[in-house]
């Protein structure tokens, strides 16, 4: 569908300016000094004080949801992007959107809302790397290059990315061979699925570099943030004509595109008559770094009628404990699970939620984040917990996740990936505990093909034998009736291009950054 909606309330003839939406500026969660445009926030990635950029004013959707129900994904995307990224022109945004959501996606619309028996599934894995990160990372490179041009940035942009498995590949797919950019990805060598690793180490593009670290995602993310903020590094970069940015969900340019599919899901339910205007919908979101579910809470803030946000974790249940007790405590064993993209103990984007929930209190937010870094924990008071009472939380162990994959397959014939199964399990548990039967959408974050071993195991298949014959994907296809995605079959023939590994420390990783960029190794 190519309907373009007029924003009638914004027509202001005679001003000579087509963008009359009130400007939204961005500031840090940790101080009030700096106020920058959306394009600068996209370009910078994160604030120099260590905080994350947040909008200084929360905009509202300007087109009624009933009207958006007649529009396609790209139009919904435009209507969401335009209220947050106010210094981009309409032409710029529409051009970015058109380049992002094209035939890279294997469905007519880039996302699909599939009806389930108890809840609906919002399939966000039809993009080039078959996980939901594609929803934002097919768009971010275009936003970033547009932002660079808009701000007269002539330095080459270096994207540093920590990945728990999916962001890295999706970011590289988006940035590979994009002129004037380079991208470097750090992934936990022993903490991703076989297919996730294969996807990354076969990445093409002269401007890409992939490093496996001997450490976990938290190590990678912490070191990347530190390298990012290191003054010496910045000087060395500037001298060589580079500038850092981020493709992690700390970048507002990642977050805003993720708000779109919540609005889209709601409008599909409206379009099919399953809900009426104003009806509330709950979302259950498999959660790791808290970016996806935070986008859902922004969707609520801009006017989407959302009831509860159900935060689903695996056995790394630091968020479940936080929402249950008000204490965030990362001092615990980091567990490797069958849902590796959620193996995270320091969920960066919670900082943004806390900032808003504390009444935009930069002082308290800074204190909590400092305590997290120094002592490994912090506790928030009741007023802040109360402001987050629309969040519910739960978790699923690996065993419960496998049972859920098996149950959903037996009952519906659908094969879920382990992350989605965590979301589905936690949702069912939530209903059993609360009796809340509000219509609910479970966010389906990855294709089952991406986590072949865990899925085949859960379905009681002889995984080892299937994989020995290289028949894993075909078996999933036979069971699910879904053809093997091109993203999976093409991997069989691609040569490995990246073999570097290093320790998961700032020092070792910084050395690799310096090598990649041709900076002196001495400093
Ligand atoms: C990244 C990821 C998640 C977690 O999303 P966050 O935004 O980090 O909370 C869940 N599932 C899959 C498949 C992912 O790739």
């Amino acid at each position: 569908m190519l309907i373009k909606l007029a924003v009638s309330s914004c027509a202001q003839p005679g001003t000579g300016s087509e963008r009359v939406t009130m400007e939204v500026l961005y500031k840090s969660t940790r101080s009030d000094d700096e106020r920058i445009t959306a394009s600068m926030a996209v370009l910078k990635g994160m604030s120099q004080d260590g905080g994350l950029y947040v909008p200084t004013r929360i905009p509202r959707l300007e087109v009624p949801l009933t009207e958006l129900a007649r529009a396609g994904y790209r139009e919904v995307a435009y209507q969401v992007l335009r209220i947050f990224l106010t210094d981009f022109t309409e032409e710029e945004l529409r051009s970015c959107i058109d380049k992002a959501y094209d035939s890279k996606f294997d469905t007519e619309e880039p996302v699909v809302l599939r009806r389930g028996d108890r809840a609906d599934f919002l399939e966000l894995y039809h993009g080039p790397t078959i996980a939901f990160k594609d929803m934002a990372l097919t768009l971010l490179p275009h936003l970033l290059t547009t932002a660079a041009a808009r701000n007269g940035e002539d330095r080459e942009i270096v994207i540093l990315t920590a990945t728990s498995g999916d962001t890295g590949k999706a970011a590289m797919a988006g940035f590979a061979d994009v002129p004037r950019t380079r991208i470097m990805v750090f992934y936990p060598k022993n903490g991703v699925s076989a297919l996730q690793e294969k996807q990354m180490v076969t990445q093409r593009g002269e401007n890409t570099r992939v490093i496996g670290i001997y450490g976990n995602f938290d190590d990678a993310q912490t070191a990347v943030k530190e390298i990012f903020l290191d003054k010496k590094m910045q000087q060395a970069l500037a001298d060589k004509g580079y500038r850092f940015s981020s493709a992690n969900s700390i970048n507002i340019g990642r977050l805003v595109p993720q708000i779109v599919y919540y609005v889209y899901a709601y409008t599909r339910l409206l379009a099919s008559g399953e809900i009426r205007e104003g009806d509330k919908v709950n979302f259950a979101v498999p959660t790791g770094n808290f970016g996806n579910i935070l986008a859902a809470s922004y969707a609520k803030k801009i006017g989407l009628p959302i009831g509860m946000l159900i935060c689903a974790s695996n056995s790394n249940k630091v968020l479940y404990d936080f929402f249950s007790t008000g204490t965030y405590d990362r001092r615990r064993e980091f567990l490797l699970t069958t849902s590796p993209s959620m193996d995270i103990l320091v969920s960066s984007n919670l900082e943004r939620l806390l900032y808003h929930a504390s009444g935009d209190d930069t002082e308290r937010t800074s204190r909590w984040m400092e305590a997290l870094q120094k002592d490994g924990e912090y506790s928030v008071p009741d007023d802040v917990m109360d402001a987050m009472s629309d969040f519910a939380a739960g978790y699923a162990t690996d065993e419960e996740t496998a049972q859920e994959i098996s149950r959903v397959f037996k009952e519906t014939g659908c094969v879920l990936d382990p992350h989605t199964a965590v979301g589905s399990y936690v949702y069912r548990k939530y209903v059993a505990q609360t009796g809340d039967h509000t219509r609910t959408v479970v966010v389906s974050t990855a294709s089952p093909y991406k986590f072949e071993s865990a899925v085949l195991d859960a379905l009681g298949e002889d995984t080892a034998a299937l994989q020995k014959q290289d028949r894993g994907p075909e078996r999933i296809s036979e069971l699910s009736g879904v053809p093997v995605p091109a993203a999976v079959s093409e991997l069989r023939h691609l040569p490995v291009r990246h073999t570097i590994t290093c320790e998961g420390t700032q020092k070792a990783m910084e050395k690799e950054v310096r090598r990649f960029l041709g900076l002196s190794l001495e400093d």
Side-chain angles (χ1 to χ4, degrees):
M1 264 198 290
L2 275 172
I3 310 176
K4 289 195 179 176
L5 302 168
V7 186
S8 50
S9 60
C10 285
Q12 255 190 24
T15 59
S17 149
E18 47 173 4
R19 293 303 308 268
V20 291
T21 299
M22 217 160 89
E23 182 157 44
V24 174
L25 294 174
Y26 291 80
K27 64 179 288 289
S28 167
T29 46
R30 300 196 195 173
S31 67
D32 293 309
D33 326 329
E34 188 192 22
R35 269 158 215 272
I36 58 176
T37 59
S39 65
M40 271 314 285
V42 169
L43 204 50
K44 287 182 146 188
M46 77 183 273
S47 170
Q48 273 307 306
D49 60 17
L52 307 185
Y53 288 120
V54 282
T56 50
R57 176 180 70 79
I58 304 284
R60 303 281 296 180
L61 274 173
E62 291 177 2
V63 172
L65 291 163
T66 45
E67 253 181 74
L68 288 179
R70 296 188 292 114
Y73 193 85
R74 294 182 196 189
E75 181 62 30
V76 175
Y78 173 65
Q79 295 300 339
V80 172
L81 262 55
R82 68 185 285 276
I83 60 172
F84 280 98
L85 308 179
T86 51
D87 71 321
F88 290 69
T89 67
E90 170 164 3
E91 289 68 32
E92 284 170 342
L93 288 180
R94 288 201 189 272
S95 157
C96 290
I97 289 167
D98 288 348
K99 285 183 208 148
Y101 305 123
D102 61 6
S103 58
K104 288 192 281 303
F105 289 80
D106 66 8
T107 39
E108 196 182 322
E109 291 281 23
V111 312
V112 174
L113 184 66
R114 190 170 302 286
R115 304 289 180 277
D117 52 345
R118 308 183 201 213
D120 302 321
F121 288 97
L122 183 64
E123 296 180 355
L124 302 178
Y125 55 76
H126 293 286
T129 76
I130 57 174
F132 93 93
K133 305 295 199 292
D134 286 327
M135 298 314 302
L137 285 165
T138 50
L139 186 58
L140 182 66
H142 303 295
L143 293 177
L144 199 69
T145 46
T146 307
R150 169 154 289 279
N151 291 284
E153 177 56 76
D154 48 14
R155 286 173 287 181
E156 190 167 328
I157 296 168
V158 179
I159 313 287
L160 284 195
T161 301
T163 184
S164 59
D166 287 327
T167 288
K169 177 64 191 184
M172 287 190 292
F175 281 102
D177 292 326
V178 172
R180 314 195 49 69
T181 69
R182 287 194 190 209
I183 176 157
M184 191 163 191
V185 166
F186 295 95
Y187 76 95
K189 177 82 186 125
N190 300 314
V192 299
S193 81
L195 190 120
Q196 286 178 312
E197 180 164 43
K198 186 91 202 275
Q199 278 187 321
M200 285 189 278
V201 298
T202 55
Q203 177 65 47
R204 283 172 282 206
E206 287 311 308
N207 64 338
T208 64
R209 171 81 45 108
V210 179
I211 313 272
I213 67 156
Y214 296 105
N216 58 42
F217 172 77
D218 289 334
D219 299 327
Q221 176 162 257
T222 304
V224 162
K225 279 189 183 174
E226 279 165 1
I227 295 170
F228 221 86
L229 299 177
D230 187 282
K231 289 277 184 296
K232 258 193 195 160
M233 244 344 240
Q234 284 170 0
Q235 193 53 51
L237 279 182
D239 292 347
K240 272 265 184 180
Y242 293 118
R243 140 172 237 150
F244 276 145
S245 190
S246 169
N248 283 105
S249 51
I250 54 175
N251 193 320
I252 200 85
R254 264 280 301 274
L255 222 41
V256 174
Q258 294 182 176
I259 301 170
V260 176
Y261 44 75
Y262 291 102
V263 177
Y264 182 74
Y266 188 93
T267 58
R268 291 321 94 174
L269 291 170
L270 270 182
S272 61
E274 274 144 305
I275 55 169
R276 282 205 227 147
E277 200 179 354
D279 284 355
K280 286 200 166 142
V281 170
N282 294 344
F283 285 95
V285 187
T287 297
N289 216 13
F290 211 76
N292 203 357
I293 197 164
L294 182 80
S297 89
Y298 277 125
K300 183 170 182 173
K301 287 182 205 291
I302 64 172
L304 198 68
I306 294 178
M308 294 297 288
L309 292 166
I310 302 159
C311 173
S313 301
N314 62 26
S315 299
N316 293 296
K317 60 182 183 59
V318 65
L319 287 165
Y320 166 77
D321 292 341
F322 170 69
F323 282 112
S324 320
T325 64
T327 295
Y328 194 102
D329 187 352
R330 68 167 164 83
R331 297 167 305 170
R332 60 181 78 200
E333 195 188 346
F334 186 105
L335 302 169
L336 295 176
T337 72
T338 53
S339 44
S341 303
M342 311 193 322
D343 288 347
I344 294 176
L345 292 178
V346 181
S347 300
S348 283
N349 278 293
L350 187 64
E351 176 169 350
R352 287 188 167 112
L353 181 67
L354 291 172
Y355 167 84
H356 292 299
S358 64
D360 298 359
D361 190 334
T362 52
E363 213 168 284
R364 283 200 288 176
T365 308
S366 307
R367 245 189 286 127
W368 296 322
M369 293 304 121
E370 267 161 40
L372 180 64
Q373 201 185 6
K374 274 209 210 90
D375 317 325
E377 69 160 340
Y378 61 87
S379 298
V380 306
D382 288 346
D383 68 301
V384 180
M385 291 311 287
D386 290 346
M388 301 185 295
S389 59
D390 53 349
F391 279 81
Y395 70 98
T397 62
D398 277 1
E399 201 184 334
E400 288 161 340
T401 306
Q403 283 165 6
E404 185 69 3
I405 292 174
S406 166
R407 182 194 70 79
V408 171
F409 177 65
K410 283 198 192 110
E411 288 180 12
T412 71
C414 276
V415 176
L416 300 184
D417 99 282
H419 304 76
T420 309
V422 167
S424 179
Y425 177 88
V426 167
Y427 167 62
R428 279 197 307 120
K429 210 160 167 192
Y430 166 81
V431 175
Q433 282 168 355
T434 60
D436 177 0
H437 288 282
T438 305
R439 184 152 207 123
T440 297
V441 174
V442 176
V443 176
S444 196
T445 50
S447 156
Y449 287 97
K450 213 159 184 178
F451 304 94
E452 180 183 303
S453 299
V455 168
L456 290 171
D457 284 350
L459 295 175
E461 295 289 313
D462 187 345
T463 310
L466 284 165
Q467 290 184 335
K468 213 165 155 197
Q469 303 159 22
D470 197 17
R471 277 198 6 90
E474 281 69 27
R475 185 63 189 140
I476 294 179
S477 179
E478 284 163 18
L479 292 166
S480 63
V482 176
V484 179
V488 174
S489 39
E490 74 176 18
L491 278 183
R492 286 181 165 150
H493 314 291
L494 290 183
V496 170
R497 293 189 65 244
H498 303 270
T499 53
I500 304 173
T501 56
C502 76
E503 293 304 313
T505 60
Q506 183 189 348
K507 201 166 166 213
M509 289 166 59
E510 187 178 313
K511 206 163 175 184
E512 292 305 329
V513 175
R514 287 177 173 275
R515 269 207 191 101
F516 181 46
L517 301 179
L519 307 178
S520 138
L521 296 179
E522 300 308 312
D523 291 356

